[in-house]
């Protein structure tokens, strides 16, 4: 990395800049230049605290996951392990590569504004505890980990050979049987996020669990502001502070107890670490960035994409003979965590990995080995490496390459906007059926959350990166953002509902787009100062202020309604009311399998009654003729045990008549859960609540 920092400051010039490294050369003394370089190479207090916060959260999550995999997730084990790991990491940095620190009050102000604005928008988190969607499944898994101290836990009904299950291998949505071990549950997904949520519940109960997402969202905004300031100065910092914290997608996913916002914190934290390593030379930041990238893979399956991108960057540094101590530290941090990621993906959660068509371990390893060998081979060809580096040293060639990058991005954006007309509708296979994916309007969908002026500002940011002074830290942000934006627009590989499809972008693309929008704001300031030098400096400030105010108002019109919304709030109270029917016994609750989706009582409350309330819960067979026999089997099995058996009917349905079994009405629950509308071809703007109507019957032998 050593020669790619490109601070754009020479020994005979100082920087009269929009942001660090954005230069309009002005002759000055070498002493001032030296002070400027020393100033740039110091880490600010805000940057240090934010990177430390992201790293500490990541390490606590890592310890939580390891404890859960080892079946010892307890407050004592997690807290002791976290203290040891965090102190060890801090001691290594303190003794080995302690950075110079400066206060930077000017840079701290937008960080504090961003943190405060984000906190107002994101707290409190949704009290989402239903089994119909992924967020509820994460909550279910987290509570089960906290209760059983492990990612694996028993299902006594399956162990007894009793009928149930929503599908082969799954007792409830995302509550999967461990392959080859009937009666043992190994939940769907990777488990870093629910393990961290389990620790949060240990520390603060359900309040701690449901507010972990908002807390991490706030930190992620602060990280983005710090990255933006390093990339393009104050315009970018203020853009990130107000635009990311008010964006509807950001607010929505931060309030949800789902994995995307945690992945964003890890991703933006890694970006800050890389940027600091490039700009200041701090090797500890590079190591932290590598660890955070590795944790991103432990958190979500498509984290492997970022891992491979990072590996490709390292291979490129090897190829052009710029692989230095910082690159080695980044690679070391990544490799310290990556084996655990492979273990989870291809051993513990192998069924989930394969179900999501993630490349096999052999293919991933082959790709990494191929990249490394190509990098080494190119490095051995000194002439080729020198030619590649010379491209960045030749102003004319650099301009042509920059224009080519801008042209490609513009062309891709044009294709994205015209894709429905050019290629028609997109479809994909789901549950054996061909259904619309709406991928053809992915970029159009995103524009509803960023606005067309916002997308043009992002394109201006691309121009800023490609056509202004070339800096490696800016390319580290621009290239992954553009690549991942294209990839996910091509096929999001998620639910076609817009708010679930667009969440794929939240982890990496949304913060990257906002950072490029910040660079676009910096380009506007540069152009005003460069081409209208006679105007007062406050004119540029005013222009950016008006622009950001307009975009923020656009964002707030979408996100403020969510600020006062509580998705599926009250669901825990419903589940507690049902569980109280069992008294001091562990009840057995059998749920009518309704034919509609996706707010049937069994879909909303059946799984959480098992995982969150620790009751035995199963759904009856789909075939109506098999239901009486299944219910009688349960009643006979638990007769004489003291454990009550209940049948939960949809609406006012009654249990089937069964010889030798008496059904007594015990409870009727009617109400609704606040739920934001789910749409395909328009931005969701209002609530469309989930009504529930169910009747609970006590089943006894007559």
């Amino acid at each position: 990395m050593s020669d790619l920092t490109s601070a754009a400051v020479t020994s005979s010039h100082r920087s009269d800049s929009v942001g660090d490294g954005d230069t309009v050369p002005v002759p000055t003394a070498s002493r001032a230049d030296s002070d400027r370089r020393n100033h740039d190479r110091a880490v600010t207090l805000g940057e240090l605290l934010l990177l430390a916060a992201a790293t500490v959260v990541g390490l606590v999550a890592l310890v939580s996951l390891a404890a859960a995999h080892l079946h010892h997730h307890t407050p004592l084990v997690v807290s002791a392990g976290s203290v040891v790991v965090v102190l060890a990491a801090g001691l290594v940095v303190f003794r080995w590569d302690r950075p110079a620190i400066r206060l930077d009050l000017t840079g701290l102000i937008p960080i504090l504004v961003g943190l405060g604005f984000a906190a107002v928008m994101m707290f409190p988190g949704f009290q989402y505890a239903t089994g119909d969607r992924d967020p509820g499944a994460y909550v279910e898994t987290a509570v089960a980990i906290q209760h059983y101290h492990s990612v694996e836990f028993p299902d006594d009904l399956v162990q007894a050979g009793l009928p149930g299950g929503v599908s082969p291998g799954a007792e409830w949505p995302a509550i999967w049987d461990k392959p080859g071990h009937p009666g043992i549950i190994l939940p769907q997904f990777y488990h870093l996020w629910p393990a961290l949520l389990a620790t949060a519940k240990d520390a603060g109960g359900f309040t701690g669990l449901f507010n972990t997402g908002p807390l991490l969202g706030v930190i992620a905004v602060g990280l983005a502001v710090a990255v933006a300031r390093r990339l393009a100065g104050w315009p970018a910092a203020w853009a990130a502070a107000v635009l990311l914290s008010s964006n509807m997608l950001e607010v929505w996913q931060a309030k949800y107890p789902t994995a995307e916002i945690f992945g964003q914190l890890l991703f933006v934290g890694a970006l800050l670490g890389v940027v600091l390593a490039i700009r200041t030379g701090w090797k500890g930041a590079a190591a932290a960035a590598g660890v955070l990238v590795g944790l991103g893979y432990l958190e979500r399956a498509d984290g492997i994409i970022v891992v491979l991108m990072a590996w490709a960057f390292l291979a490129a540094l090897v190829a052009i003979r710029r692989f230095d101590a910082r690159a080695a530290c980044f690679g070391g941090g990544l490799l310290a965590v990556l084996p655990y990621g492979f273990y989870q993906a291809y051993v513990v959660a192998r069924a989930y990995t394969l179900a999501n068509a993630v490349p096999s371990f052999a293919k991933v390893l082959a790709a990494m080995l191929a990249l490394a060998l190509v990098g080494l081979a190119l490095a051995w060809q000194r002439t080729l490496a020198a030619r590649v580096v010379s491209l960045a040293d030749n102003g004319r060639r650099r301009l042509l390459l920059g224009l080519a990058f801008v042209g490609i991005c513009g062309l891709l954006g044009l294709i994205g906007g015209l894709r429905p007309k050019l290629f028609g509708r997109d479809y994909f296979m789901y549950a054996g059926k061909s259904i619309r994916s709406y991928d053809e309007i992915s970029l159009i969908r995103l524009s509803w959350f960023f606005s067309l002026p916002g997308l043009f500002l992002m394109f201006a940011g691309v121009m800023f990166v490609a056509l202004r002074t070339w800096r490696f830290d800016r390319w580290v942000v621009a290239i992954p953002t553009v690549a991942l934006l294209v990839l996910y627009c091509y096929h999001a590989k998620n639910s076609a509902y817009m708010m679930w499809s667009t969440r794929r972008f939240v982890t990496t693309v949304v913060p990257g787009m906002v950072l490029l929008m910040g660079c676009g704001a910096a380009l506007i300031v540069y152009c005003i100062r460069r081409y209208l030098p006679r105007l007062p400096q406050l004119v540029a400030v005013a222009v950016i202020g008006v622009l950001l105010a307009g975009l923020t108002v656009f964002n707030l019109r979408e996100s403020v309604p969510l600020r006062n919304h509580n998705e599926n709030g009250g669901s825990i109270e419903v589940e507690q009311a049902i569980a109280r029917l069992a008294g001091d016994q562990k009840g057995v609750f059998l749920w009518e399998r309704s034919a509609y989706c996706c707010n049937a009582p069994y879909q909303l409350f059946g799984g959480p009654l098992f995982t969150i309330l620790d009751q035995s819960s199963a759904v009856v067979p789909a075939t109506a003729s098999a239901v009486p026999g299944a219910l009688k089997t349960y009643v006979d099995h638990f007769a004489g045990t003291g454990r009550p058996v209940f049948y939960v009917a949809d609406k006012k349905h009654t249990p089937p008549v069964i010889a030798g079994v008496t059904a007594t009405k015990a409870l009727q629950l009617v109400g609704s859960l606040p739920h934001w509308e789910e749409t395909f071809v328009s931005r969701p703007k209002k609530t469309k609540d989930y009504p529930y109507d169910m009747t609970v019957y006590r089943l006894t032998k007559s």
Side-chain angles (χ1 to χ4, degrees):
M1 291 184 186
S2 59
D3 292 338
L4 293 177
T5 57
S6 185
V9 179
T10 66
S11 60
S12 60
H13 295 83
R14 69 176 176 87
S15 177
D16 183 12
S17 64
V18 171
D20 295 341
D22 299 324
T23 64
V24 178
V26 180
T28 188
S30 60
R31 173 68 177 274
D33 175 57
S34 176
D35 291 342
R36 170 73 188 201
R37 287 201 304 270
N38 292 335
H39 184 268
D40 286 347
R41 288 189 173 277
V43 176
T44 71
L45 181 62
E47 293 167 341
L48 179 65
L49 293 177
L50 287 166
L51 182 60
T55 305
V56 168
V57 169
L59 292 178
V60 171
L62 179 64
V63 172
S64 301
L65 179 63
H69 280 159
L70 294 171
H71 317 298
H72 284 82
H73 186 287
T74 64
L76 178 61
V77 170
V78 173
S79 58
S82 298
V83 168
V84 170
V85 172
V86 170
L87 286 180
L91 183 62
V92 169
V93 172
F94 182 82
R95 295 294 302 272
W96 168 58
D97 189 31
R98 193 188 325 170
I101 302 172
R102 60 185 173 91
L103 183 56
D104 186 29
L105 288 175
T106 304
L108 192 60
I109 293 173
I111 290 176
L112 293 177
V113 170
L115 293 174
F117 195 9
V120 170
M121 296 302 299
M122 296 174 184
F123 282 101
F126 294 150
Q127 296 173 342
Y128 196 114
T130 54
D132 60 317
R133 295 288 189 271
D134 294 355
Y138 282 121
V139 172
E140 291 183 76
T141 303
V143 177
I145 290 174
Q146 189 231 4
H147 181 77
Y148 291 101
H149 315 301
S150 172
V151 296
E152 300 177 6
F153 48 94
D155 185 329
D156 62 313
L157 302 183
V158 179
Q159 290 177 337
L162 296 169
V166 294
S167 62
E171 302 310 313
W172 295 101
I175 306 301
W176 291 3
D177 298 311
K178 183 178 181 180
H181 297 79
I184 300 297
I185 300 297
L186 180 64
Q188 185 184 354
F189 310 123
Y190 291 174
H191 305 124
L192 186 70
W193 174 236
L196 179 61
L197 288 180
T199 298
K201 187 173 184 298
D202 273 328
F206 279 110
T207 299
L209 187 156
F210 289 127
N211 285 294
T212 298
L215 176 61
L216 300 190
V218 170
I219 298 173
V221 168
L223 289 164
V225 177
V227 173
R229 179 163 169 77
R230 282 286 179 177
L231 293 181
W234 66 264
W238 282 105
V242 297
L243 298 183
L244 185 58
S245 56
S246 62
N247 183 272
M248 182 181 180
L249 295 177
E250 182 79 3
V251 172
W252 178 267
Q253 293 302 323
K255 291 174 76 69
Y256 258 131
T258 192
E260 278 71 18
I261 202 66
F262 183 29
Q264 183 185 105
L265 176 137
L266 297 173
F267 177 74
V268 184
L271 285 181
L272 179 59
V274 170
V275 168
L276 289 178
I278 294 171
R279 301 293 290 157
T280 71
W282 184 22
K283 296 184 287 292
V291 170
L292 293 175
V293 170
L295 289 173
Y297 179 40
L298 273 168
E299 199 246 357
R300 299 176 71 250
D302 60 352
I304 191 62
I305 300 172
V306 179
V307 168
L308 292 176
M309 282 185 171
W311 192 260
F313 269 111
L314 292 177
L317 291 176
V318 170
I320 61 176
R321 306 177 72 85
R322 293 296 185 270
F323 190 93
D324 64 5
R326 291 167 294 174
C329 289
F330 177 89
L334 175 60
L335 291 175
V337 181
L338 195 55
Y340 193 8
F342 286 145
Y343 171 74
Q344 177 181 242
Y346 298 107
V347 179
V348 177
R350 185 173 184 271
Y352 175 70
T353 300
L354 297 180
N356 284 273
V358 177
S360 67
F361 176 64
K363 291 180 179 178
V364 171
L365 203 60
M368 295 179 68
L369 182 61
L371 287 169
L373 291 176
V374 169
L376 290 170
L378 292 176
W380 181 71
Q381 295 288 334
R382 290 176 177 266
T383 303
L384 181 59
R387 288 178 179 175
V388 172
V389 174
S390 69
L391 293 176
D393 295 332
N394 185 294
R396 185 172 180 275
R397 292 176 181 174
R398 187 167 61 240
L399 176 61
L400 292 175
L401 289 173
L403 288 171
F405 182 75
V406 171
I408 290 172
C409 291
L411 180 61
L412 289 172
L414 186 62
I415 293 174
L418 298 176
R419 185 174 168 186
K421 295 182 179 180
L422 294 175
F423 305 106
R425 296 178 174 181
D426 281 329
Y427 294 84
F428 75 115
M429 297 301 295
Y430 179 79
K433 298 179 180 179
S434 178
I435 64 172
R436 281 193 67 183
S437 67
Y438 296 92
D439 286 332
E440 76 277 5
I441 58 171
S442 289
L443 187 60
I444 297 172
R445 279 174 156 184
L446 278 180
S447 72
W448 297 337
F449 300 97
F450 283 91
S451 78
L452 288 177
L455 292 184
F456 281 118
L457 185 62
M458 186 191 80
F459 185 68
V462 171
M463 296 173 63
F464 179 85
V465 172
L467 302 181
R468 292 278 293 124
T469 303
W470 273 25
R471 278 182 18 194
F472 189 39
D473 54 334
R474 292 173 182 165
W475 285 109
V476 163
V477 172
I479 292 176
T481 298
V482 172
L484 291 169
L485 176 59
V486 172
L487 176 65
Y488 291 144
C489 280
Y490 174 71
H491 183 32
K493 199 176 181 182
N494 207 329
S495 168
Y497 285 120
M498 187 190 309
M499 291 306 293
W500 298 105
S501 177
T502 51
R503 74 174 183 158
R504 182 73 76 201
F505 298 84
V506 169
T507 297
T508 54
V509 176
V510 167
M513 291 175 68
V514 171
L515 290 173
L516 287 177
M517 291 167 72
C519 290
L523 180 64
I524 293 173
V525 173
Y526 169 79
C527 290
I528 292 174
R529 291 182 177 179
R530 177 68 180 270
Y531 300 107
L532 300 171
R534 294 184 179 182
L535 292 178
Q537 294 291 319
L538 288 179
V539 171
V541 176
V543 170
I544 294 303
V546 171
L547 174 63
L548 295 184
L551 291 174
T552 302
V553 169
F554 173 87
N555 285 353
L556 291 176
R557 289 178 61 188
E558 298 181 344
S559 56
V560 165
L562 281 174
R563 165 68 182 80
N564 302 313
H565 178 65
N566 184 15
E567 187 83 345
N568 285 18
S571 50
I572 286 183
E573 288 76 10
V574 174
E575 292 147 11
Q576 289 172 337
I578 298 172
R580 279 195 293 268
L581 294 174
D584 58 358
Q585 294 290 325
K586 186 173 183 177
V588 179
F589 293 85
L590 309 174
W591 297 76
E592 178 183 355
R593 189 191 296 257
S594 305
Y596 59 92
C597 181
C598 295
N599 62 331
Y602 84 95
Q603 293 172 313
L604 293 174
F605 308 114
L609 199 67
F610 166 49
T611 54
I612 298 177
L613 275 299
D614 195 32
Q615 302 292 311
S616 296
S617 184
V619 63
V620 300
T623 305
S625 59
V627 173
L631 294 180
K632 191 171 191 313
T633 298
Y634 274 95
V635 173
D636 291 342
H637 181 83
F638 288 100
T641 65
R643 295 181 60 185
V645 179
F646 299 91
Y647 177 74
V648 186
D650 192 359
K651 299 182 174 62
K652 295 176 177 59
H653 298 175
T654 57
V657 177
I658 307 170
V661 176
T662 300
T664 305
K665 183 178 178 180
L667 178 69
Q668 184 170 359
L669 290 168
V670 180
S672 63
L673 302 178
H675 194 81
W676 208 253
E677 66 175 343
E678 296 179 338
T679 60
F680 294 103
V681 294
S682 63
R683 179 178 60 81
K685 301 177 182 179
K686 60 183 184 296
T687 59
K688 188 176 181 181
D689 293 347
Y690 269 176
Y692 61 84
D693 182 354
M694 51 189 161
T695 308
V696 186
Y697 295 86
R698 174 80 180 268
L699 303 182
T700 56
K701 289 182 71 71
S702 54

